[in-house]
Amino acid sequence: MKEFDVLVVGGGASGLRAAIAAKGAGAKVALMSKVHPLRTNTGVAQGGLNAPLGNQDSPESFAEDTLLAGDGLCEPELVRGLTREASEEVIWLEHVGVPFNRDPEGRLDRRRFGANSHNRTCYADDRTGHIVLQVLHEQFQRAQIASFEEWYLTSLAVDGGTCLGAIGLGLRGGKLEAFGARAVVLATGGFTRLYLPSTASLGTTGDGLSLAFNAGAKLMDMEMIQFHPTVISKHPGLLITEAVLGEGAEIVDAKGERIHGTNGIPREKICRSIQQALQDGAESVCLDLRPIGKEKLISRFPQTHELVRAVAGMDISKEAVPIHPAAHRPMGGIETSAQGETSIAGLFAVGECASNGVNGAGRLAGNTLTEAMVFGRKVGEAAAGHAASAPKRSFPIARLSDEEKRLAALTSKEPANDSSGKIHTELGKLMSEKVGLIRDQGGLKLALEQIQELKARYQRLRVTNPSRIYNYQLTSHLEIGSLLCVAEVVALAAQARRESRGAHRRADFPARDDQNWRCHTLVSLVNSAPQLKQKPVGIPG
Amino acid sequence: MQVTFKVYRKDPEGDGKPGRSTFTVELPDDANVMDGLLKIRDEMDGSLAFRASCLRGYCGECTMRINGKATFACTAKVSAFTKKGPEITLDPLRNIPVIKDLVFDWDAFLWNKIKAVKPWLEPNEAPASGENLLPDSVMKDLRQVMSCYYCGLCDEGCTVLPVDFNFLGPAALTKAYRVAFDPRDRDGKERLRIAEQPKGVWDCVHCFEASEHCPRGIQPTERILALRDKAFKVGISHEKVARHHKSFAASVKDSGWVDEGRLALESEGLTNIKGLMKLLPTAARALVRGKAPLPYLHAKRPGADQIKRIFEKGEQEEK
Amino acid sequence: MKYAFYPGCVSRGGCPELYPSAVKVAGKLGLELEELKDVGCTGAGVLPQYLSDPINARTFAKAEQVGLPVMTICSTCQGVMAQANYRLKSDPAYREEINREYLSEEGLEYKGTTEVKHLLWVLFEDYGLDRLKSMIQRPLKGLKVSPFYGCFLRRPPEAITPTKELSRRKSYLDELIEVLGAELVDISGKGKCCGFPILTANEENSLAMVAKHTGESKGKGADCMVTPCPLCHLNLDGNQPRAESLKGEKIDLPILHLPQFVGLALGFEPDEMHLKRHIIPTRAVETKVEMLT
């Protein structure tokens, strides 16, 4: 068995930041990640991260924009915390080596992005996520933190309301191991693979949410899922950073006419404009980047230019590309306090798998990486603090053999006529159609029924590959389980919220209803069944 | 369309010998090789091991050889390959130990080597407030180098690695460049020492295969040469290479061209009896055939003074 | 066809058989060579760019003065100069800086118009294969030959093969072998490194490369290897005995310089091509060639 003070699960931006902070606070830290940190979903982030560094800008203005994007559902204290500390974190990143773009005076340049009222998005070309991830990983290596790469988290060890560690499967060695830890920080990312077609990495399957939920934690605001407007339609799909709109790109219909209301407004409004245009009979909607100018386009968006060519065989400097809105990332997740604490003692969550209320019903463009930094640090430090003061309890080692048995029971040599891929395909389509951009009671009811059917199929499904070494059939199976768990919670929450707010749109309840619904949805398992509660905005968690 | 994949297999829990499996699968016309692999694993053979993450060209995880060409499965259109023949062969990259099927040992091949160059900034003392003020031209160069997504194609094309797997390789050395040329790092000289470690920059043959193979135009070979040029300026820490380079430069500076005899002797070191003795057989063979240019009896070329002038100016400029 | 001839350092140093054979072959073909006598070593990838670029810029300026393209007989010279030329041509501000800081004092200025070509490229691009074929007096029938280019004659792409048409430069040597009547014994290592650049830093790897490529060629039945680079020759030929010791087995593969190989086909005798200078005896090749006369 391995023992640590703090176990961080997830090697993306928030996980790395939390691990570095925990180590800095004196804890013995380990990081577990199912893919190498440099292969995580953070690497596909492009646009940049917000910081109110400008002379005209201020944390207050930044907070205002964030609150507006959250459409009344943000936790004001958390927003204040984020906007106050953003600059410090971005400057730290610069000091430790992020080669941000600079203005002519050599200062951090800031671009126009989404619904930010000021230019406050610091960026590194159009591959900010990729570069920030590298620098974080550099500092992570510098801190000499134990790193368990290609280890899959299979279960949390929760006993009497306290988390005592976790069990992971090492893909290379094929062994299950127990990790005793006084604090476990889940930084496992979102669940956007729930919707197909998706632009998220293969592993974005809500594993942390599912494990936490099944261990007794609450999931908050799960109905709030941000769709991104500019996703290339051609398979396998590619997200083009919204920053292009801020620099002159336009969204046009097949005739080349500009679609109204797409500049400088929140993403879900742009998504609905595009969806509306398509529903009104436009045969396609395109993103035209040519107005940016060829030289500027290739200089400012080199990766976009390269990848659109690699993926879609198109040259954005010469032609407009067909786009459609697609599920991008959740605002909801494991309910946490401002310090990342869940309702389970010793279990923390941060990043996209967590929901501390800072996003509300909509995330301001450019906030995700900033949140990963600000909260990554906070939660890492909090986890270290908790580990230092928590009483030592031994890891329930019997859980390890239980887990061995559980995984063994999933295996069967009998050939199946069903598969996790088939279930996923159907689930992804179902979610996109019925729990997508615009929802209604009928669709949601059907969705819940069909999710139950898919769950039943999943229960009958077995893994035919008995090996434990790089058994991706097994991990895919477990991931689909996570998605099914998350799917049900999302649909329930969407069904419960009878209003439209931010990213959540109900055709049958098109107006915002502050009187009844200025509150978060909370779903938790009570006697093995999901139960929904409301939590008014402004009540500390 | 029906596509047949012939996939490399290796089972560490079986006999560990390389083999091949054939799968024929129905795929949409715009499918990528990755779609094929995912479908095979899902519906036909759950034991097939291959890595995948971003599925669209960002992350470098799914590198493999497709019909012998090293590229990414997620952006490789099946139709582009089936144009030339009905079967698509999938293999791991060359010169890398394979763990299972298409899953090769990234640790030994890449991650451990990158760790060996200590690829993190030891930041300078921070400014009193705010960011370090730096020109974008310097940041742009770093962004270019850091667009590297660790795909391994440069290492796969390297001519040294097949002969010496422990050579750090272009990917790791490019990472060494990233730190050595970041003005915010505390100790540029120390960075060079790290890059000059055994199996480091001086083991590179600058054949430019790495630059030719890099799908992102990062020019790893040029980065290695830049590290070497910088070392030349501040002092090369590899003793024998230092003697060699010093001698080369000295004879070109003195006479306009290379005095090979002098070079051979001074590289070993004029007091290095053991090293000089090792040269004897080669020298003898060459002498007998009139192929040994006699050291120091080396004619000065016309124009040598101008070459000397250039040296002096260049050395002055670089101070 | 007239060229500003740049013979390099090794063709009159460690490989003194190269210079006279190149000159003889050029003469026979009718290529007029005006040697650049007062120019410096290219730097060979050893000197840092801040020294080698000005030195090479000076060479280009001198060639510009006589209005002639430069011809090289060494892959390393060719590669280093092509890379320098690429930088000087594609970045006028850089070229201006070099002119100002280094060349103006001598009254020189490089305007960016010089072309630099290896003899191998000259044969294909300027001379023409048809004309070359008409000059062959002794088709090298039955001689099995492996090509070995030398890295710098093949990469980097922007300096060496900047257009689709010029990508053919990567197969010139293969084609030449067959044009001259010999049998091509292709090897996977033909475009790889001979190991010469790391002879100092890592002798073991260097010799391992020699053993690998000559071993592959010999194993496939070649009578000899031909290379357009005297530095490759120094390692493949000069250090072949040491590679044999390292490998623990005999290789015994003669290595020919490009001009020697062409010269034999043009009718020169092996002695005229100074084959006796080589470390690895060329007797077997000579015998085969003599039988063709």
Side-chain angles (χ1 to χ4, degrees), chain A residues 35-36 38-39 43-44 46 91 94-102 105-108 124-125 127 130-131 134-135 138-139 141-142 149-150 172 193 198-202 235-239 303 306-307 310-311 419-422 465 467-473, chain B residues 12-13 30-32 35 38 41-43 46-47 49-61 74-75 77 99-100 103 105-107 111 115 119-123 126-127 130-136 139 142-143 146-150 175 178 182 184 216:
Chain A
V35 294
H36 188 280
L38 292 173
R39 312 288 190 208
V44 318
Q46 303 171 41
I91 298 292
E94 191 277 326
H95 287 170
V96 296
V98 175
F100 287 113
N101 285 57
R102 304 288 177 143
E105 277 81 56
R107 308 210 84 97
L108 293 177
D125 291 336
R127 34 174 145 243
H130 174 79
I131 286 183
Q134 275 184 72
V135 174
E138 288 171 4
Q139 292 301 308
Q141 289 180 292
R142 178 178 172 213
E149 291 144 19
E150 295 188 324
R172 184 167 176 161
R193 291 291 293 174
S198 172
T199 59
S201 300
L202 197 61
H235 173 69
L238 188 75
L239 189 144
Q303 181 174 259
E306 173 203 328
L307 287 178
V311 159
S419 74
S420 59
K422 289 195 182 118
N465 177 8
S467 168
R468 292 283 173 81
I469 295 180
Y470 286 107
N471 185 347
Y472 288 113
Q473 190 197 32
Chain B
E13 291 169 294
D30 63 352
N32 293 313
D35 297 320
L38 288 168
R41 182 161 71 202
D42 187 56
E43 295 176 17
S47 71
F50 58 89
R51 290 187 174 105
S53 189
C54 79
L55 303 179
R56 63 207 85 236
Y58 283 103
C59 76
E61 178 88 295
C74 68
T75 51
K77 287 260 173 278
I99 303 171
K100 183 173 183 178
V103 172
D105 192 346
W106 274 120
D107 284 332
W111 304 132
K115 274 190 203 139
W120 51 79
L121 237 68
E122 301 273 358
E131 67 272 48
N132 292 288
L133 294 180
L134 290 163
D136 197 56
M139 297 293 102
L142 291 176
R143 287 195 300 272
M146 292 173 77
S147 66
C148 173
Y149 45 9
Y150 310 93
K175 200 68 184 169
R178 173 263 179 287
D182 193 320
R184 298 164 289 189
R216 288 211 142 157

Side-chain angles (χ1 to χ4, degrees), chain A residues 58 72 125 222 252 344 377 433 440 445 477 481 532 535 541:
Chain A
S58 66
D125 291 336
M222 291 291 282
V252 298
I344 299 171
R377 178 174 125 187
E433 284 170 2
D440 64 63
K445 184 160 178 280
H477 180 94
L532 197 139
K535 182 171 93 167

